Amino acid sequence: MSTAVEPLLRVTDLSVTYGVPRKGVGLGTGAALRGANLEVYPGEIVGIIGETGSGKTTLARATVGLTAPASGSIEFEGRDLTGLRGRELRNFRRQGRIQLVFQDPLRSLDPDLTVARLVAEPLEVAGGIDAATRAERADRALREVGLEPEVVRERRPRELSGGQRQRVSLARAIVTEPRLLICDEPVSALDVSNRNLVLNLLDRLRRDLGVAVVIIAHDLSSLAGIGDRVAVFYRSRLVEQGNLREVLTRPAHPYTALLVASAPSLGDESVLRPADIRVDRDDAGPVHSGGCVFADRCRFAVDACATRPALREVGERWSAACHLADRWRDDVIDNIRPVSTGTLTKGDR
Ligand SMILES: Nc1ncnc2c1ncn2[C@@H]1O[C@H](COP(=O)(O)OP(=O)(O)OP(=O)(O)O)[C@@H](O)[C@H]1O
Ligand SMILES: [Mg+2]
């Protein structure tokens, strides 16, 4: 892909604050996302990785317009979505150009509706499509995700397996022919074989429909083999974003290195193993409220880390929020073994 291609989605300095009820003091506020940046290019698969509570779902909800950001901007197909209000926002959402597949398919699907209704519903909401066409497109979407319409059409969510429910959620999301599909932890609740089926399915949808896919996950192993790029979040902040293979091979942020080293299976040669590198320290370091979010756990922290590192470029479409990005990599990673990028290629799965 040439660098001249404009991103489909560009999230810039996005912050989201929820009102948090606190005992005795009424409504306090909690920042769920702080200054997040994300770029998604047409037809690519981007992973968003981060521990629980790091703001991944919040970012997804804000991107589809379900949660209003406190500041920052969301541009989609060159259009600023953060400026949309009321009817404009509803119209945009109805078109289904960006679709979100929710984290918990059982809770997000209306238990009283049949699969046929569930999958056709987004088209009803979009309006202007007759019932026969809606039913036909719903059937097509079901086939697209590997379900037989004749078998599942009349069932309700309870009458499906977890993997089938996940597919129904996906069918519902692709029925509007979105340009961007955001899947919130699509595989976390599935066993290994269903995991691979769903990931391969997402890869195929990207190829067949040209849709860009964001996959939210806890760990990097959910992406190995299919992701093009990755964004790593820690404590509500983006710490690193770049080409998946490059990031796995030579992470620019120590927190990413920690994730890479602790991931169960990422291929072998090109990635760090826990024995190769110690990123975290034995005892907690000082917490600097305005400083790097990882400094208290980071073995390489220096005085400068008391000041928050800005996200800066460390390569092509590759950025990291670490003062020492280049230095610690040169000192630590490059001394471990020669860099090889041979293993994590697409289609390994
Ligand atoms: N509706 C809400 N009201 C108040 N706080 C919220 C709300 N939703 C999320 N939060 C808080 O915002 C922060 C980020 O939550 P979010 O759900 O985005 O995290 P996440 O990365 O998706 O976590 P997980 O991996 O567990 O799904 C957390 O501290 C969470 O407690
Ligand atoms: Mg979440």
Side-chain angles (χ1 to χ4, degrees):
M1 208 181 288
S2 96
T3 45
V5 177
E6 281 298 306
L8 183 66
L9 175 76
R10 179 182 273 142
V11 174
T12 313
D13 288 335
L14 194 75
S15 295
V16 175
T17 309
Y18 290 112
V20 181
R22 273 188 291 163
K23 232 179 176 174
V25 291
L27 213 62
T29 55
L33 196 63
R34 295 183 280 199
N37 291 275
L38 181 72
E39 282 174 3
V40 180
Y41 290 84
E44 70 172 356
I45 295 186
V46 178
I48 294 185
I49 307 293
E51 59 183 10
T52 178
S54 56
K56 306 179 299 295
T57 297
T58 302
L59 174 62
R61 291 179 59 88
T63 303
V64 296
L66 286 174
T67 300
S71 60
S73 74
I74 302 167
E75 278 170 71
F76 178 71
E77 296 181 316
R79 183 173 177 202
D80 184 8
L81 301 186
T82 28
L84 300 184
R85 296 275 176 276
R87 186 139 66 119
E88 271 186 327
L89 178 62
R90 279 196 301 279
N91 280 343
F92 176 77
R93 295 232 337 252
R94 268 205 286 264
Q95 288 166 6
R97 305 279 296 163
I98 307 180
Q99 288 285 19
L100 174 61
V101 179
F102 289 92
Q103 190 160 357
D104 179 349
L106 188 55
R107 273 179 47 202
S108 66
L109 296 174
D110 184 334
D112 297 327
L113 297 187
T114 61
V115 167
R117 276 293 303 284
L118 283 167
V119 178
E121 195 177 47
L123 296 176
E124 250 173 83
V125 174
I129 304 167
D130 63 73
T133 309
R134 291 200 299 265
E136 187 191 308
R137 280 178 62 179
D139 278 1
R140 205 190 319 150
L142 285 168
R143 270 189 220 101
E144 202 75 65
V145 300
L147 291 171
E148 287 188 51
E150 300 74 20
V151 176
V152 295
R153 228 187 253 133
E154 296 310 315
R155 293 204 197 165
R156 290 184 167 70
R158 253 189 315 272
E159 299 157 347
L160 300 167
S161 73
Q164 287 171 327
R165 273 198 293 269
Q166 189 63 261
R167 281 159 196 268
V168 169
S169 300
L170 265 176
R172 201 174 133 84
I174 60 170
V175 77
T176 58
E177 297 175 357
R179 303 312 302 146
L180 175 63
L181 189 61
I182 303 178
C183 301
D184 196 354
E185 312 236 8
V187 296
S188 305
L190 303 177
D191 62 36
V192 177
S193 66
N194 269 305
R195 234 174 198 232
N196 287 342
L197 284 174
V198 169
L199 290 172
N200 284 329
L201 172 61
L202 290 173
D203 197 21
R204 193 173 56 70
L205 290 177
R206 172 266 290 272
R207 273 202 313 273
D208 292 355
L209 311 177
V211 57
V213 182
V214 169
I215 298 177
I216 296 177
H218 282 124
D219 67 283
L220 284 162
S221 52
S222 313
L223 296 177
I226 70 159
D228 296 307
R229 285 190 322 116
V230 65
V232 179
F233 282 79
Y234 183 65
R235 293 185 183 163
S236 311
R237 287 185 188 278
L238 176 71
V239 295
E240 181 163 4
Q241 162 169 235
N243 173 287
L244 177 66
R245 209 166 358 138
E246 287 177 331
V247 168
L248 292 182
T249 312
R250 210 162 169 274
H253 197 287
Y255 177 66
T256 316
L258 183 68
L259 286 185
V260 173
S262 51
S265 59
L266 293 171
D268 39 30
E269 280 309 298
S270 67
V271 295
L272 309 169
R273 307 311 316 166
D276 295 334
I277 186 171
R278 282 282 316 281
V279 170
D280 49 344
R281 47 204 291 169
D282 299 322
D283 53 338
V287 177
H288 305 288
S289 57
C292 170
V293 281
F294 189 62
D296 60 318
R297 288 178 66 189
C298 183
R299 207 176 177 76
F300 311 107
V302 294
D303 290 348
C305 305
T307 312
R308 170 146 308 130
L311 201 61
R312 62 190 176 91
E313 258 178 50
V314 294
E316 199 188 331
R317 287 192 195 166
W318 189 359
S319 50
C322 175
H323 291 299
L324 302 173
D326 299 318
R327 239 165 61 209
W328 86 267
R329 287 198 302 182
D330 292 349
D331 291 354
V332 181
I333 296 188
D334 292 349
N335 282 330
I336 296 171
R337 61 158 70 113
V339 173
S340 116
T341 53
T343 49
L344 274 157
T345 47
K346 272 183 216 162
D348 277 0
R349 188 177 289 278

